[in-house]
Amino acid sequence: MGFFDEMDNMRMRPFHRKMELLASMGMFLDGYDLSVITMAILLMPVQLGFTKLEYILVNVSAFAGMIVGAPLLGRLSDRIGRKKIFGIDLILFVVFAITAGLATNFWMMFLSRFMLGVGIGGDYPISSTIVSEFAPVKRRGSLLYAMVGMYWFGSLFSSVMNYAFAFTYYFWRYTFIIGGIVAIPIIFLRMQIPESPRWLVSHGRTEEASRVIENITGKEPDLMEGLTEGKEEKSVRFRDLFASGFLPKTIFVLSVWFLFDVASYGIGFYYPTMIREIGLAATALNTAGLRVIAESGMIVAAGAIAGYIVAMALADRIGRRVLTLMGVFVMFALLLIGSIVRIVSIIPLVSFFFSFVLFEQWVGAATLFYPTELYPTNYRSTIQGIATSVSRVGAIMGVVLFPLYPIFHSMFLFAALMFLAFIITVLFAPETKKKPLEKIWNTKA
C-alpha cells in the first residue's frame, strides 16, 4: 500500500468539488483578463494616444508578465508550499485589473497589464498542481480538463461584459475593473484549502500529511510509506529533468506547448480584429458594431466550452495522448484549409473559429496540465512554471507575427507549426490516464 493510495482511490466528495471550483476560478479569471483586452484594444490606442509600438507592447504586456510570474511563483510553490501561493497570486489580479481600468496613459496601462500577467502566470502552475495532487486517480483527467475549461467561461463572461458596456465610450474601464472585483471573494475561499499532502511529504512533514489525508479520507495512511515516498522524491535533482528518462517528456512539454501557443494566441488574440475587418465595415466601431463583435466572441467561446465537455468525457477513457494527437492534427488541418479557402464573410468566419477552438481545447488543456502529472512533487510546479513561461514566449511571437503578414499567410505559417507539434507529440507524448502521480514519474514505484 502506498501512502497516497486512500486519497488516490477514493470517490469524489464535496471537498474535491470545492477544491476544483477554487482552482478553476483562477482559470476563469485568466480567461476573462486575457480575453477582455482583445476588444478593448480596438479603441484604447486612439483614446489613450498610443503609438504603434505602444499598441504592440500593451497587446503583449500580460504575456510578458506571465513569462516572469509563472517560473517565479511556480518555484515558490515548490519551496514554501501550494497553500501560501494559492491565494496570494489573486491579489495581483485584484490590484492590477483595477489600475488597468483607471489607466490614463501608456505606462500605467502597460505596467498594470504586466503585473496582472505575473499573477496570471503564477496561477497556472499552482492551480493545476493543486488539482493533480488532490484528485482521485480515476477522475484526475476530467477534473483537470474541467479546470482548464473554465478559461473559456471567463472568456465568455468577458464578451458578455463587453456587450453590456459597449454603449459607453470608455467601456473597457468597466470591464477591466469588474475582473478585479470578481477575484476578491476567491482569495478568502482559497485560504480554506489544506496544504497538499504530497508537498508536505516531499518536505519531510509526513505526520502533517497524514492528518490531511485522514481528514479527507477518514483513514490514516502508513507513516513509514510516507517516509519512503519522501526519500524517493528527494532523490531527483533538477538537472535530472533534462536528462535520462525525463528528457523526452521535457522536450514534449516545452516544445508542443510553445508551438501551440504561437498558433492559438496568434489566431485567438485577433478574433475581434478579423471579424471587424472581414465581416464589418472598418469604421463600424459604434455600439452596434462592438456588440456584433462581442456576440461573435460569445459564439467562439461556446465552441471552446463544447470542446472541453467532450474532452472531459474522454480524458480518463481514451487518455491524454490520444486527445492531444487528435486535437493537434485537426488544428493543423483547419489552419491549412483556412489558408487555402480564404473566408471573406462573417458567418463562415465565425463558424471556422467555432470549429477551430472546439478541437484546440483538446490540446490546450493537455499541454497546460501535462507537466503536473509527469514530474515529481519537488519540481512539479517549477517545471510547470517553466513550461508556462516558454509557452508565453510562443504566445507573444504569435501575437506579434500575425499582423505582420496577410491573414491567410499567417494561417499557413501556423499550420506548419502545428504539423511540427503533431510530429513531436507522436514521438514523445506519454499516456498518464488512471495512474498515480508517483507511478508516472517513478518507474520503481
Side-chain angles (χ1 to χ4, degrees):
M1 288 286 289
F3 186 75
F4 303 108
D5 284 358
E6 292 293 343
M7 189 170 71
D8 284 342
N9 297 323
M10 69 187 297
R11 294 184 177 182
M12 288 286 292
R13 294 186 179 178
F15 165 80
H16 294 109
R17 304 202 181 280
K18 179 180 179 181
M19 174 272 300
E20 168 79 1
L21 177 62
L22 294 178
S24 297
M25 285 307 296
M27 294 303 302
F28 176 91
L29 293 167
D30 297 346
Y32 183 89
D33 286 312
L34 290 178
S35 299
V36 76
I37 195 173
T38 61
M39 187 163 140
I41 203 68
L42 297 176
L43 291 179
M44 194 192 305
V46 173
Q47 294 173 345
L48 298 186
F50 292 169
T51 65
K52 187 172 183 178
L53 176 60
E54 288 171 345
Y55 165 82
I56 294 172
L57 290 174
V58 168
N59 264 347
V60 303
S61 55
F63 298 121
M66 293 177 76
I67 291 173
V68 175
L72 175 63
L73 295 183
R75 187 60 190 145
L76 280 175
S77 170
D78 283 336
R79 293 294 296 274
I80 69 175
R82 319 300 191 214
K83 180 179 173 67
K84 291 178 182 177
I85 307 297
F86 199 41
I88 291 174
D89 64 324
L90 292 191
I91 295 174
L92 298 174
F93 280 68
V94 174
V95 173
F96 293 104
I98 291 173
T99 58
L102 300 175
T104 56
N105 56 59
F106 161 73
W107 281 111
M108 190 173 177
M109 178 62 70
F110 175 80
L111 292 174
S112 295
R113 293 289 299 179
F114 179 88
M115 291 305 300
L116 179 67
V118 172
I120 293 173
D123 198 73
Y124 274 57
I126 296 162
S127 291
S128 54
T129 296
I130 285 278
V131 173
S132 286
E133 293 183 345
F134 276 110
V137 168
K138 292 181 180 179
R139 296 292 303 277
R140 191 173 64 235
S142 61
L143 288 175
L144 285 165
Y145 268 101
M147 182 204 75
V148 183
M150 285 296 287
Y151 177 100
W152 282 97
F153 280 96
S155 180
L156 176 62
F157 185 56
S158 76
S159 294
V160 172
M161 290 299 97
N162 281 330
Y163 183 92
F165 289 101
F167 68 94
T168 65
Y169 184 67
Y170 289 107
F171 73 92
W172 50 269
R173 294 193 184 278
Y174 302 100
T175 57
F176 282 7
I177 291 171
I178 285 170
I181 294 171
V182 171
I184 294 173
I186 310 303
I187 296 173
F188 297 100
L189 291 171
R190 279 188 167 191
M191 292 178 180
Q192 300 174 19
I193 295 293
E195 183 55 85
S196 163
R198 285 185 159 93
W199 183 86
L200 291 169
V201 165
S202 72
H203 284 73
R205 296 159 62 176
T206 306
E207 291 186 5
E208 292 178 58
S210 177
R211 288 194 292 271
V212 174
I213 292 175
E214 187 175 4
N215 288 337
I216 295 172
T217 67
K219 297 179 181 179
E220 185 178 356
D222 186 333
L223 288 178
M224 292 304 296
E225 289 287 349
L227 292 171
T228 301
E229 296 281 6
K231 290 178 182 178
E232 290 178 346
E233 294 276 358
K234 291 179 181 178
S235 69
V236 180
R237 297 161 297 180
F238 181 73
R239 66 173 179 265
D240 294 335
L241 307 183
F242 298 87
S244 183
F246 284 106
L247 184 58
K249 300 174 185 178
T250 303
I251 292 173
F252 166 67
V253 299
L254 295 182
S255 62
V256 173
W257 197 358
F258 170 84
L259 294 168
F260 169 80
D261 272 17
V262 175
S264 64
Y265 281 101
I267 295 288
F269 202 84
Y270 295 102
Y271 289 152
T273 302
M274 292 171 70
I275 290 167
R276 174 197 174 189
E277 291 182 0
I278 292 177
L280 299 171
T283 57
L285 290 181
N286 51 25
T287 299
L290 290 171
R291 283 185 166 169
V292 168
I293 295 171
E295 288 166 349
S296 300
M298 295 179 204
I299 295 171
V300 171
I305 292 167
Y308 275 111
I309 291 172
V310 175
M312 283 170 56
L314 297 176
D316 292 310
R317 296 181 183 179
I318 67 172
R320 289 51 143 173
R321 175 180 165 85
V322 175
L323 279 174
T324 305
L325 282 168
M326 292 171 63
V328 171
F329 184 79
V330 174
M331 284 180 67
F332 154 70
L334 286 174
L335 286 168
L336 182 62
I337 292 169
S339 69
I340 296 171
V341 174
R342 304 196 174 200
I343 301 166
V344 293
S345 59
I346 190 167
I347 293 177
L349 182 66
V350 173
S351 300
F352 172 83
F353 288 154
F354 181 94
S355 303
F356 182 76
V357 298
L358 192 154
F359 290 97
E360 177 189 46
Q361 307 324 305
W362 296 11
V363 186
T367 53
L368 190 152
F369 68 68
Y370 244 129
T372 68
E373 295 188 305
L374 297 177
Y375 296 91
T377 305
N378 278 337
Y379 299 109
R380 186 166 289 131
S381 283
T382 299
I383 200 72
Q384 173 74 320
I386 293 171
T388 301
S389 184
V390 170
S391 75
R392 298 308 101 159
V393 174
I396 291 174
M397 285 182 59
V399 170
V400 172
L401 282 174
F402 186 84
L404 296 180
Y405 303 98
I407 289 173
F408 303 107
H409 292 182
S410 295
M411 282 189 174
F412 183 80
L413 171 62
F414 295 158
L417 294 178
M418 291 314 299
F419 184 74
L420 176 59
F422 177 74
I423 298 301
I424 296 172
T425 304
V426 169
L427 295 175
F428 298 124
E431 184 50 72
T432 59
K433 68 174 181 178
K434 298 182 180 179
K435 296 179 183 178
L437 295 178
E438 289 68 33
K439 289 187 178 180
I440 295 172
W441 72 265
N442 186 359
T443 55
K444 298 177 182 178

